[in-house]
Amino acid sequence: MKVFKDLRGNYKWDPTHYMDFDKLENTRDDLYLYLGHFIREPLKNDKLSVYIEFEQPNCCYGGEDARAYKDMLHREKTFDKIFSITKHAAMKRNEILGKDLYGYCLFPFSKNHLPTDHTKVYDYFVSGHWYGNGYCLHREVLGPAFEKLKERRPNINGKIISGFHDGPSYTYQQKLEHNAKSKISVVWNHQETSPRFLDRLDWLTDNVQEFRKDATGHWCINQHKARVVEGFMTKTLVMVYKDPFNYIEDFYTPNEHFIYYEDADDLAEKIEHALDNYEDPFYQDMISKGHERAIKIHETQAFYNTYLKDL
């Protein structure tokens, strides 16, 4: 298998740089795999051409005249198979196309980047873009929860690595190492639909995927995020926001592999309880089971075996 990447515009710590599909051995030689949203079409040859789509429905928000949307349509005409981390986008596009071009997949992770030091320094960890008041989940759930925790536990030690905090100061590997030194990963697959795109919501629903309102009253979608996988891979207790889609349950079981949180009070209370009882078998077993499950299904070789080997 040959791997072609065009990751222009992706942050240096973006996980798509580090999936290591090109380091797999004993793969089929009749398959070409493509990564990167600037790739419009495969090379002209007799190989099976496969594209992993990490940007749906993001690539569609600009509307039918946007370059990214036109590129998506062109890929649909030229690739043999497309895998998407957004289930409802894959479902909708297959419905429109009248064929199963899209497959729904989880987020890959390479074992080459597993941290080795899990000495706990931080109480909780957050990664991914932190928009603060610009994003409903941060403004109405995570932010208030962290403020409550600081009031109740002045010495609580949380770590946020984000492009809007100190993310640019860290490599991808360093981000994972900090994650591994955290007791709890606070994560979400939720993605708010920006108010500036709401005038296109009917068009987006008809042409891209279903949208739903979350508990904060905002339109949203669900998209498998690297931060969730990384929380499992780095041996932390994973707390996931319960949104209207909950794709995580396609691969993991609540209260066996992870814990849901639903609002600011719920998150603060669950973090406090976990910190006060961190060594309890309930939490330690959950951390172990989540990690073992993640290795089994997300690791790059496992991804190849599940989605690409028998295409």
Side-chain angles (χ1 to χ4, degrees):
M1 179 177 74
K2 286 189 176 182
V3 181
F4 299 89
K5 296 184 285 187
D6 186 346
L7 300 173
R8 285 175 289 162
N10 291 35
Y11 300 102
K12 65 180 181 181
W13 62 88
D14 191 295
T16 54
H17 289 289
Y18 306 99
M19 292 175 175
D20 295 342
F21 281 106
D22 52 337
K23 296 181 181 179
L24 294 180
E25 298 179 353
N26 301 317
T27 57
R28 52 194 291 181
D29 59 7
D30 64 338
L31 189 152
Y32 282 4
L33 179 66
Y34 298 81
L35 307 173
H37 64 273
F38 278 98
I39 292 176
R40 296 186 70 246
E41 63 184 22
L43 298 173
K44 290 180 171 57
N45 52 49
D46 60 352
K47 306 298 183 182
L48 186 66
S49 57
V50 179
Y51 181 80
I52 302 181
E53 174 62 79
F54 293 104
E55 294 297 328
Q56 285 175 326
N58 313 42
C59 61
C60 306
Y61 286 139
E64 56 191 335
D65 294 326
R67 176 199 61 81
Y69 180 71
K70 291 179 179 178
D71 287 351
M72 183 194 77
L73 297 181
H74 190 70
R75 285 192 290 269
E76 291 176 348
K77 296 176 182 177
T78 54
F79 277 90
D80 297 309
K81 190 70 177 180
I82 300 174
F83 286 98
S84 175
I85 58 173
T86 309
K87 179 166 69 173
H88 281 77
M91 292 167 55
K92 187 64 177 181
R93 293 308 301 169
N94 281 343
E95 175 189 327
I96 290 171
L97 295 168
K99 60 180 180 179
D100 291 331
L101 175 66
Y102 282 88
Y104 165 54
C105 69
L106 42 66
F107 206 104
F109 181 98
S110 171
K111 65 181 179 182
N112 298 323
H113 304 286
L114 286 171
T116 56
D117 183 3
H118 298 89
T119 305
K120 301 307 180 185
V121 175
Y122 308 113
D123 293 315
Y124 66 84
F125 181 86
V126 176
S127 68
H129 291 312
W130 182 268
Y131 297 102
N133 287 336
Y135 175 32
C136 64
L137 194 62
H138 296 163
R139 180 179 64 248
E140 300 174 35
V141 180
L142 273 71
F146 296 154
E147 289 302 316
K148 291 176 188 291
L149 289 168
K150 290 176 184 177
E151 292 174 4
R152 299 172 189 169
R153 309 167 79 107
N155 295 323
I156 195 167
N157 188 15
K159 180 70 171 176
I160 297 176
I161 293 183
S162 159
F164 295 93
H165 279 65
D166 49 7
S169 302
Y170 295 98
T171 65
Y172 176 70
Q173 193 63 42
Q174 288 170 333
K175 180 188 76 168
L176 294 177
E177 289 167 357
H178 281 282
N179 203 160
K181 293 178 181 179
S182 307
K183 293 180 179 178
I184 299 168
S185 291
V186 180
V187 302
W188 60 97
N189 283 324
H190 171 283
Q191 184 184 100
E192 180 186 4
T193 306
S194 172
R196 70 181 187 273
F197 301 132
L198 292 181
D199 61 341
R200 298 194 188 108
L201 196 60
D202 289 343
W203 180 86
L204 288 165
T205 302
D206 290 341
N207 292 279
V208 184
Q209 75 158 84
E210 178 184 356
F211 292 74
R212 299 175 185 172
K213 281 192 174 182
D214 63 21
T216 69
H218 297 85
W219 290 102
C220 72
I221 58 100
N222 185 296
Q223 183 186 75
H224 286 298
K225 294 295 187 181
R227 57 178 158 259
V228 179
V229 185
E230 292 162 1
F232 288 121
M233 287 290 189
T234 54
K235 297 184 179 179
T236 67
L237 179 64
V238 178
M239 294 190 178
V240 183
Y241 178 63
K242 190 172 186 179
D243 63 51
F245 293 92
N246 298 321
Y247 291 173
I248 191 169
E249 292 187 36
D250 293 335
F251 303 103
Y252 294 91
T253 302
N255 297 324
E256 179 181 352
H257 301 115
F258 71 95
I259 294 172
Y260 273 131
Y261 63 91
E262 299 189 39
D263 55 40
D265 289 337
D266 189 40
L267 176 58
E269 289 171 7
K270 286 176 176 174
I271 288 177
E272 282 200 288
H273 190 275
L275 293 177
D276 290 339
N277 301 276
Y278 191 69
E279 298 302 326
D280 188 288
F282 173 75
Y283 290 120
Q284 291 302 310
D285 289 350
M286 188 177 298
I287 292 169
S288 296
K289 288 179 180 179
H291 178 71
E292 291 166 3
R293 177 69 175 159
I295 293 289
K296 182 178 180 181
I297 63 175
H298 289 278
E299 205 282 314
T300 305
Q301 182 67 60
F303 186 99
Y304 171 82
N305 292 342
T306 300
Y307 299 103
L308 305 176
K309 182 180 178 182
D310 298 320
L311 261 183

